[in-house]
Amino acid sequence: MLRERRLAQGLTQQQLSERSNVDKGLIGDYENKRYIMKVTTAKVFADILHCSIEDLYEWHYD
């Protein structure tokens, strides 16, 4: 979800990294689901990407 929101804002991983102070490689890890973002990190991204925290996570309900 992060990748879609980032691209919708026209940002590269490098630009998001610079604005958020989060390593570009870690952003790639989040986008490729190698790591799950902490809520505090998601809040920073949500503010930059003008979305809610919930928009940055995939939610599956059974």
Side-chain angles (χ1 to χ4, degrees):
M1 307 311 288
L2 176 59
R3 175 179 284 132
E4 290 83 3
R5 291 291 175 165
R6 176 180 60 76
L7 292 174
Q9 291 293 319
L11 295 174
T12 65
Q13 286 183 348
Q14 183 63 41
Q15 290 168 319
L16 182 58
S17 173
E18 290 167 359
R19 292 182 187 188
S20 65
N21 240 5
V22 174
D23 184 81
K24 178 183 156 192
L26 190 52
I27 291 171
D29 287 340
Y30 293 146
E31 290 184 351
N32 292 305
K33 299 176 180 79
R34 286 187 285 266
Y35 294 105
I36 298 173
M37 285 181 279
K38 293 181 180 180
V39 173
T40 53
T41 303
K43 172 64 172 134
V44 171
F45 290 152
D47 288 345
I48 294 167
L49 299 172
H50 309 290
C51 64
S52 70
I53 292 171
E54 291 84 5
D55 293 334
L56 300 175
Y57 292 96
E58 289 188 38
W59 302 93
H60 299 279
Y61 299 101
D62 293 333

